[in-house]
Amino acid sequence: MVNLVMNNLLFFVPAAIAGVVLCGEVPVASKFARGSLRAVGAVCGALLALIILEAIPALL
């Protein structure tokens, strides 16, 4: 079960913003594709943050 603490949730925002920036810079022609890439980047960034937050206590 995922144990989320409010202080850990502060890590999600920068990770999601990093995902938006990284995936939003992919050169595409349409605005819809750019928006969907940004959404995918935000989700991937948040999932990566969740994986990192859950893996750190297991490694310690």
Side-chain angles (χ1 to χ4, degrees):
M1 182 165 172
V2 178
N3 182 17
L4 293 176
V5 181
M6 279 307 265
N7 292 334
N8 291 342
L9 292 178
L10 293 176
F11 188 64
F12 284 105
V13 175
I17 290 173
V20 167
V21 169
L22 288 175
C23 290
E25 293 299 319
V26 175
V28 292
S30 69
K31 289 184 180 183
F32 177 74
R34 182 173 293 133
S36 61
L37 279 173
R38 286 179 179 169
V40 168
V43 170
C44 289
L47 285 176
L48 183 65
L50 180 67
I51 290 169
I52 290 171
L53 286 175
E54 291 299 318
I56 288 174
L59 294 174
L60 296 178

